[in-house]
Amino acid sequence: MANNELAESEPGQFAHYTHRQHLAGNTIDGKAVRGLCGVYFVPTQDHDAMPCCPICQERLAELPS
Ligand SMILES: [Zn+2]
């Protein structure tokens, strides 16, 4: 996964954020969960290799910690 490919990532290839309780249950099952931006996606172990969804990042920053 080369960093110089990030700018040409296709839609749907963002790493979305979701609530942790969703990730805990669904990562193994391969089920789609709803990201903070409202997009449904299937969490994968390649999550860290994808560019972060900018909308999810905004929503995450607004969440109380
Ligand atoms: Zn998102």
Side-chain angles (χ1 to χ4, degrees), residues 11-33:
Q13 293 301 310
F14 285 118
H16 296 281
Y17 292 103
T18 188
H19 297 289
R20 286 175 187 258
Q21 63 265 36
H22 292 163
L23 278 179
N26 289 340
T27 303
I28 300 174
D29 291 343
K31 292 179 183 174
V33 298

Side-chain angles (χ1 to χ4, degrees), residues 16 37 53 56:
H16 296 281
C37 64
C53 171
C56 279

Side-chain angles (χ1 to χ4, degrees), residues 1-7 9 12-17 43-53:
M1 298 306 171
N3 285 336
N4 61 9
E5 293 180 355
L6 294 183
S9 294
Q13 293 301 310
F14 285 118
H16 296 281
Y17 292 103
T44 72
Q45 294 186 345
D46 292 335
H47 196 267
D48 290 340
M50 296 190 289
C52 294
C53 171

